Amino acid sequence: MSNNVEMPTIELDYPIIRGTGDKAKEIKEFTLRRPMGGDLRGQSLIDISMAKVDAIAVVLPRISNPVIHEHEVRSMDASDLMDVGLAIAGFFTKAKFQSQAETAHTPTV
């Protein structure tokens, strides 16, 4: 996963295969955009921040580029799904708290 907080790139260990035969396409990475209120409609913020699969399966198609469809989310490898869940949950941290956390974890010499 890239460090760009606004549009992180998710790199999949196990690519998504879209289509069949000669027209099959392998998706190895995709970007996420910061979700807006409408993207979260019908979902519990707690479920999303806890990276619950059902919540991710609804929200991810709304904020991914290329679009990752619900059935593709449900067939993702668990480690890739966790990476996606953590990236989405990261959008719920206020910027001032992210900078405080980064400063607290920066080693001093």
Side-chain angles (χ1 to χ4, degrees):
M1 181 173 65
S2 74
N3 290 335
N4 183 346
V5 175
E6 292 302 315
M7 297 217 28
T9 298
I10 305 296
E11 297 174 3
L12 301 173
D13 288 339
Y14 300 92
I16 296 169
I17 307 299
R18 184 174 286 169
T20 59
D22 294 339
K23 295 187 179 189
K25 180 180 177 186
E26 195 174 73
I27 300 173
K28 296 179 180 180
E29 67 178 28
F30 56 90
T31 58
L32 299 178
R33 67 169 175 76
R34 179 174 288 282
M36 306 307 282
D39 298 319
L40 306 173
R41 69 187 176 282
Q43 299 304 305
S44 160
L45 293 179
I46 292 172
D47 288 349
I48 295 169
S49 64
M50 291 177 59
K52 291 198 173 184
V53 175
D54 290 337
I56 294 171
V58 172
V59 173
L60 186 59
R62 299 174 183 173
I63 64 170
S64 60
N65 184 25
V67 172
I68 304 301
H69 301 285
E70 184 173 345
H71 70 277
E72 294 169 328
V73 173
R74 295 186 184 282
S75 64
M76 287 178 81
D77 178 77
S79 63
D80 289 334
L81 190 59
M82 180 56 82
D83 199 23
V84 171
L86 291 172
I88 293 172
F91 287 126
F92 295 102
T93 304
K94 298 282 284 178
K96 65 182 177 183
F97 297 126
Q98 283 180 337
S99 63
Q100 288 174 358
E102 289 169 4
T103 302
H105 288 95
T106 304
T108 57
V109 179

